[in-house]
Amino acid sequence: MAKPVSRILVVNDEHLVLREFVKGLNAAARSLDNPLGITFAGVTTAKEALAAIELDGDIQAVLVDDTLYSLGKNNGHGVSSPNRKLQVSALEFVQRITRFRPELDVYILIAQEKEDDVVDALFTESVDGYFYREERDYRGIYRILNAQIQERARTPFTDQLKNYVWMAKDQWHTPGHSSGESLRGSPWVNDFYEFMGEHVFDADLSVSVPMLDSLM
């Protein structure tokens, strides 16, 4: 069975910083528990980020530097020139992301000394959290992102339904097909049972199963 793929997009206009973050986070993802197949990719502009978010349905979260700049001329060392112009604020960028794909988790990378100025404004928007740029705790950042995506991917009702079916309990409630027992082996409708599969009938339950709460 194919394993899930979850991408997290890192947006930072400094090539060297971006490369270091993506490399460190991918190393953390490889070394720690990663059931959802999380990988990290990076882009340097809001325009590239929005295009990726639109085209790539596997993107599950975005990590945004607190200010984004359009790239000026490169000085040959992977650092943009001082005359770069402000492209879009992180807050405006977050607003664009959440208007387009409100289900995405969005995190901001901020300088620690700017925390008081930035955090209140951030949390008036759909921002899920922030990290300090100086810390570079890639394993810690990964664990937080991984836990958040796993929480959103939970299927508590389906898990309980499967558990109930696998318990193979006798069914005395409606519907009255008794997990398809009346169809299995019948010369008339056995082909229907085989076509549908046993779990269709095992999971066809009434609202009287306590561990599933009320299906209503």
Side-chain angles (χ1 to χ4, degrees):
M1 187 172 69
K3 294 183 178 180
V5 174
S6 305
R7 261 183 286 281
I8 297 178
L9 191 65
V10 183
V11 190
N12 189 299
D13 75 316
E14 296 286 357
H15 285 283
L16 293 178
V17 174
L18 178 64
R19 185 170 64 184
E20 181 183 346
F21 258 89
V22 170
K23 182 179 178 180
L25 290 168
N26 276 322
R30 288 192 298 270
S31 65
L32 298 172
D33 183 48
N34 190 3
L36 298 181
I38 292 175
T39 61
F40 294 83
V43 294
T44 54
T45 67
K47 183 177 180 181
E48 290 176 288
L50 290 170
I53 290 167
E54 180 178 1
L55 294 174
D56 188 351
D58 289 329
I59 292 177
Q60 300 293 330
V62 185
L63 178 57
V64 183
D65 199 76
D66 66 344
T67 52
L68 296 175
Y69 296 90
S70 58
L71 291 175
K73 293 182 179 179
N74 194 286
N75 65 6
H77 300 287
V79 179
S80 50
S81 62
N83 63 351
R84 62 189 184 179
K85 296 180 180 179
L86 180 66
Q87 178 182 298
V88 60
S89 72
L91 288 178
E92 183 182 350
F93 180 48
V94 167
Q95 291 168 347
R96 292 185 188 182
I97 292 173
T98 54
R99 280 199 301 267
F100 183 63
R101 285 185 60 185
E103 81 281 4
L104 292 182
D105 296 327
V106 181
Y107 294 82
I108 304 294
L109 199 63
I110 67 172
Q112 191 164 357
E113 66 271 13
K114 294 175 61 178
E115 180 178 8
D116 292 340
D117 299 329
V118 174
V119 170
D120 288 343
L122 289 176
F123 283 91
T124 63
E125 306 299 332
S126 299
V127 173
D128 296 276
Y130 64 95
F131 304 102
Y132 294 133
R133 187 183 297 111
E134 298 88 351
E135 286 187 353
R136 307 290 173 86
D137 178 11
Y138 300 119
R139 291 169 69 91
I141 293 173
Y142 168 76
R143 285 191 177 101
I144 291 171
L145 298 173
N146 179 38
Q148 184 67 19
I149 293 175
Q150 286 200 58
E151 175 63 25
R152 197 173 70 237
R154 287 178 63 245
T155 54
F157 179 83
T158 301
D159 292 343
Q160 284 289 73
L161 177 61
K162 288 191 291 187
N163 288 339
Y164 183 86
V165 167
W166 290 332
M167 288 176 185
K169 292 188 175 186
D170 290 334
Q171 296 184 16
W172 298 96
H173 51 72
T174 57
H177 53 59
S178 299
S179 298
E181 186 65 33
S182 60
L183 309 177
R184 189 186 303 118
S186 165
W188 301 100
V189 289
N190 184 60
D191 59 336
F192 177 73
Y193 176 85
E194 291 179 351
F195 175 73
M196 297 301 293
E198 63 177 311
H199 291 323
V200 169
F201 301 101
D202 289 337
D204 185 18
L205 307 171
S206 73
V207 297
S208 59
V209 181
M211 67 181 289
L212 299 177
D213 202 356
S214 170
L215 302 188
M216 304 298 287

